[in-house]
């Protein structure tokens, strides 16, 4: 699948449903596919008199082509003389791009702690569990870019690794100065799990839900834009990938 963030099928199915187009006047072959569970996300021009449709079924993207006489539909890829998939751009425009924007809005609306300047030109969201050793390594590795004001990391606190992870995540989110608390914790002063107001505990719960809904499975998982496309890295990245994520060589 070309969608870089590589969501799990269940998550994709949920997002696909929000971008699907519903109509009662599809051509008969397309309507037959819709009645079998296919979701149509948009129509696009195709060569040789065909009409293309960007579609999905249970989270799986596909293109469907209607013949010029309107009597038959062909599901699958259509290649040009150079082997290029003529429907690839339509799948991105009609399905993946709206998904990526929706994921970014969900991240913006999640509960996170900012690490770095608010006017940093580059923003990344990273899911962080307080008991995750690789999250601390990621914190350390990103210091040059964060301290240079080039990157702001937004730590979406989750509690998934150990029994006290949710309480520790809530302690960080509920601290008087969450950024300072996260900095101390990441520098080795382990945060203590303490009771927090219900709304703070709910923030951790909702972050956990988002983590699962997006099909993520490891911490840190970091989401960012690369070449105007949404990308993600699960775990601690290698040095070359880290520089790609940060958007530049080490300051």
């Amino acid at each position: 699948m070309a969608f870089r963030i590589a969501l799990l099928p269940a998550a994709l199915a949920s997002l696909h449903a929000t971008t699907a187009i519903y109509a009662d006047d599809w051509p008969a072959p397309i309507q037959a596919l819709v009645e079998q569970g296919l979701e149509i996300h948009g129509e696009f021009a195709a060569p040789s008199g065909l009409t293309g449709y960007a579609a999905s079924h249970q989270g799986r993207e596909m293109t469907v082509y209607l013949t010029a006489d309107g009597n038959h539909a062909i599901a699958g890829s259509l290649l040009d003389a150079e082997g290029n998939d003529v429907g690839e751009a339509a799948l991105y425009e009609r399905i993946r791009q709206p998904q990526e924007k929706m994921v970014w809005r969900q991240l913006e609306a999640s509960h996170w702690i900012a690490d770095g300047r608010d006017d940093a030109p580059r923003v990344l969201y990273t899911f962080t569990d307080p008991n995750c050793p690789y999250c601390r390594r990621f914190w350390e590795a990103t210091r040059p870019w964060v301290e240079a004001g080039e990157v702001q990391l937004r730590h979406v606190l989750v509690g998934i690794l150990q029994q006290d992870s949710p309480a520790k995540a809530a302690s960080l989110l509920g601290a008087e100065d969450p950024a300072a608390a996260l900095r101390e914790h990441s520098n080795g002063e382990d945060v203590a799990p303490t009771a927090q107001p219900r709304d703070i505990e709910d923030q951790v719960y909702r972050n956990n839900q988002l983590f699962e809904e997006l099909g993520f499975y490891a911490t840190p998982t970091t989401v960012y834009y690369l070449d105007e496309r949404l990308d993600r890295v699960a775990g601690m990245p290698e040095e070359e990938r880290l520089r790609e994520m940060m958007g530049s060589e080490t300051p």
Side-chain angles (χ1 to χ4, degrees), residues 15-251:
L15 292 175
H16 282 160
T18 65
T19 60
I21 299 172
Y22 300 95
D24 297 324
D25 56 351
W26 296 120
I30 302 300
Q31 183 61 38
L33 291 172
V34 169
E35 291 173 359
Q36 294 174 32
L38 199 73
E39 293 182 326
I40 304 297
H41 301 267
E43 182 179 318
F44 61 94
S48 303
L50 299 172
T51 301
Y53 295 86
S56 65
H57 183 257
Q58 296 181 350
R60 179 174 174 267
E61 301 166 3
M62 66 182 70
T63 45
V64 178
Y65 296 94
L66 183 71
T67 56
D69 61 10
N71 292 327
H72 300 86
I74 306 165
S77 299
L78 181 65
L79 306 182
D80 63 18
E82 298 178 350
N84 299 311
D85 186 342
V86 301
E88 179 65 23
L91 286 179
Y92 177 71
E93 180 181 346
R94 305 298 201 285
I95 301 180
R96 297 176 200 143
Q97 189 175 56
Q99 287 173 3
E100 292 176 359
K101 290 180 178 179
M102 188 179 304
V103 168
W104 196 256
R105 288 195 298 269
Q106 288 177 304
L107 293 169
E108 288 178 325
S110 66
H111 303 283
W112 42 268
I113 297 175
D115 171 27
R117 292 172 49 170
D118 290 337
D119 61 352
R122 188 162 179 79
V123 172
L124 297 85
Y125 288 89
T126 185
F127 285 85
T128 300
D129 186 299
N131 286 316
C132 169
Y134 295 103
C135 296
R136 283 183 169 172
R137 286 181 56 191
F138 184 62
W139 167 281
E140 294 169 359
T142 57
R143 291 309 88 197
W145 290 273
V146 172
E147 292 174 359
E150 296 182 6
V151 168
Q152 183 186 72
L153 292 176
R154 295 178 177 177
H155 293 263
V156 183
L157 271 296
V158 294
I160 58 174
L161 293 182
Q162 296 182 21
Q163 186 174 358
D164 65 353
S165 287
K168 286 185 175 181
S171 294
L172 290 171
L173 285 170
E176 183 176 349
D177 185 343
L182 179 62
R183 182 167 56 251
E184 292 172 1
H185 173 76
S186 300
N187 283 329
E189 298 181 25
D190 197 28
V191 65
T194 58
Q196 295 294 322
R198 180 62 179 271
D199 63 320
I200 300 297
E201 294 178 350
D202 284 345
Q203 290 179 9
V204 177
Y205 175 74
R206 289 195 291 273
N207 284 350
N208 287 355
Q209 280 189 313
L210 179 60
F211 183 84
E212 294 177 1
E213 288 170 1
L214 294 178
F216 297 160
Y217 58 87
T219 55
T221 290
T222 307
V223 182
Y224 60 100
Y225 271 100
L226 177 65
D227 299 330
E228 300 183 354
R229 298 283 298 273
L230 207 60
D231 206 344
R232 63 112 183 194
V233 172
M236 179 65 198
E238 299 291 338
E239 288 187 14
E240 182 177 352
R241 191 68 186 274
L242 179 64
R243 291 193 294 271
E244 175 189 273
M245 295 166 67
M246 298 297 108
S248 69
E249 295 294 326
T250 308

